[in-house]
Amino acid sequence: MEERRPPAQEEHLTAGQSFVKSIRPLGCALFLIMGILGTVLCFTVGRDPIPGYQPPERASYENDLSQLVYVLETQVFPELPDIELSAEVTGDTVTVTVASGNFAVARAAILRYFPEDLIEFAEGG
C-alpha cells in the first residue's frame, strides 16, 4: 500500500494580509497618504458663514433672551441675505423662523455662533 501524505498546507492569509499583499508597498503608501489627506479634509472643511463675526459672550444674553433676539436681528440675519428670517422669544428659548431660503444653511450658520439649547428653529412664516 502506498502511504498518503497530507497535501502541503497552504498559507492562509487574513483579509488584511491579502489586501496588503495585492497592493504592494507603493499601494500601501498611497493608501496611507489618502487616509491622512481625507482626515485633514474632514477636520478643515467648512467655511465661516459670516466672515470675521465674533458673537457676544453667552452670559450677555443667556438670562435676557430679548437681547439674543436683538443680536440675531441686527448682526446675524443681515449677513444671510438670501434667507428671510425672524426671531421671537417663546418661553425659555428663542424661536428662529426661516420664512424663505435654505433652512439647513440658516440653521447651521446660526448654530455655529450660538448655543443650540437656547434656540429652536421653525420653517414657514
Side-chain angles (χ1 to χ4, degrees):
M1 267 192 154
E2 207 174 291
E3 188 177 321
R4 286 187 155 178
R5 293 182 177 224
Q9 283 188 335
E10 289 185 27
E11 184 180 335
H12 293 289
L13 299 176
T14 65
Q17 290 171 328
S18 64
F19 176 73
V20 170
K21 186 175 181 180
S22 66
I23 65 171
R24 310 271 190 229
L26 186 60
C28 288
L30 182 63
F31 188 76
L32 287 173
I33 290 170
M34 288 176 53
I36 291 168
L37 290 176
T39 302
V40 168
L41 183 68
C42 287
F43 286 108
T44 59
V45 168
R47 65 178 188 87
D48 195 6
I50 305 172
Y53 179 69
Q54 293 295 322
E57 294 293 323
R58 180 180 171 130
S60 69
Y61 57 79
E62 185 171 32
N63 296 322
D64 184 13
L65 294 180
S66 60
Q67 177 66 23
L68 177 57
V69 170
Y70 175 77
V71 168
L72 289 169
E73 289 178 341
T74 59
Q75 297 176 11
V76 177
F77 295 171
E79 299 296 325
L80 303 170
D82 298 334
I83 304 171
E84 188 179 328
L85 299 157
S86 63
E88 64 181 340
V89 177
T90 52
D92 59 348
T93 62
V94 171
T95 300
V96 174
T97 304
V98 182
S100 67
N102 192 327
F103 180 84
V105 169
R107 185 177 189 282
I110 293 168
L111 291 180
R112 183 172 180 117
Y113 302 108
F114 298 96
E116 189 172 6
D117 63 321
L118 295 179
I119 300 175
E120 293 181 2
F121 293 88
E123 287 187 86

